Amino acid sequence: MKQMITIRDMIHILIVALGALLIAVGFNRFLIPHQLLSGGVSGISMIAGYYAKWNIGLLYFLFNLPILIWGWIVIGRYFVLLSILSVLLTSWFMQIVPTDHFNQDPLLGAVFGGVLIGLGTGLTLRVGGSSGGFDIVGYILTMNRNFPLGTALFLLNSSVVFALGYMFNWDLALRSMLSIFITGKIIDTIHIRQLKVTAFIITQYREQITERLHQMPRGVTLVKTEGAFTRKPQDMLMTVTTRYELADLRKIIREVDPKAWVNIVETVEVIGEFRRLR
């Protein structure tokens, strides 16, 4: 078990490193050369760097420190450890990746920068970390609410960019808003833990499947049914889970009862107690 956990953690670290590299490339190759902004803490770091000629990567790390401490207290150590790693690696990669113009059109810079930053952030969130900044604030806000994380980040980041646009340059702010919007959409595509499904499982192995589902852990409701053709009584299990856990659900059913009949439908909303995983 320890070896499996170690391997899993190593895979998570590699994914976080890849995400940090994508974010750094999005910053240095697409946003910074065109004086564009990312949202939240990274956007504030860029503004300070543009006007004071300071190192944006270093500012990105320093501005993230108080938020990382808050996340350590509120969310949990594993999440924040991965977030600290992401922030450190992003700051380091920003010292390595060149900041000269990769393309000449600032609109294309906003689009492709937003895609890369969204991919990097989404991958990091997928393995249980974050890229720091408002990602942690947005994560805290959506922990107990049915609200897409990418949308929360878009709203938080947009407030910063609008304020900066009001004070400095609206063209810069509008292009940056496009980049932030694309980033949020990419994050929602990759980070799907807030999306829920309901599974209806007809099986002859209700006890075994119920026990495995409780280990996920998910609640299960037993419904007594009868086959319309065979007239035989059957057991149907109903459970609500996230799309992120759907692969685990399929694996349980394949291992316990490959002949089970399963119907999986999207769930719009759950009212009542529902355990949301970090």
Side-chain angles (χ1 to χ4, degrees), residues 179-216:
S179 177
I180 294 170
F181 177 78
I182 294 172
T183 296
K185 289 300 180 183
I186 296 294
I187 290 172
D188 280 343
T189 300
I190 298 174
H191 185 265
I192 56 176
R193 294 187 181 190
Q194 81 281 354
L195 301 179
K196 294 171 288 297
V197 295
T198 299
F200 300 93
I201 309 164
I202 296 180
T203 177
Q204 300 296 322
Y205 300 88
R206 71 173 193 185
E207 297 295 338
Q208 294 91 326
I209 292 181
T210 299
E211 181 180 355
R212 294 285 297 276
L213 290 175
H214 283 163
Q215 293 173 1
M216 288 181 63

Side-chain angles (χ1 to χ4, degrees), residues 75 139 142-146 192-197 213-220 239-245 248 270-278:
I75 300 175
Y139 210 110
T142 59
M143 278 176 58
N144 298 312
R145 296 172 178 83
N146 296 317
I192 56 176
R193 294 187 181 190
Q194 81 281 354
L195 301 179
K196 294 171 288 297
V197 295
L213 290 175
H214 283 163
Q215 293 173 1
M216 288 181 63
R218 286 299 174 200
V220 184
T239 185
V240 179
T241 184
T242 65
R243 283 181 56 185
Y244 186 77
E245 301 165 292
D248 293 333
V270 175
I271 300 175
E273 184 177 352
F274 179 78
R275 183 176 185 271
R276 294 170 176 83
L277 302 181
R278 290 174 183 166

Side-chain angles (χ1 to χ4, degrees), residues 103-135:
N103 69 298
Q104 300 302 316
D105 188 346
L107 192 60
L108 290 177
V111 171
F112 285 95
V115 170
L116 289 175
I117 296 167
L119 285 173
T121 304
L123 287 173
T124 305
L125 287 166
R126 187 70 182 258
V127 297
S130 80
S131 58
F134 278 3
D135 291 351

Side-chain angles (χ1 to χ4, degrees), residues 45 54-62 87 90-92 94-95:
S45 303
W54 291 338
N55 187 298
I56 296 176
L58 179 59
L59 290 172
Y60 176 75
F61 173 73
L62 293 176
V87 171
T90 300
S91 300
W92 181 63
M94 288 179 71
Q95 312 308 313

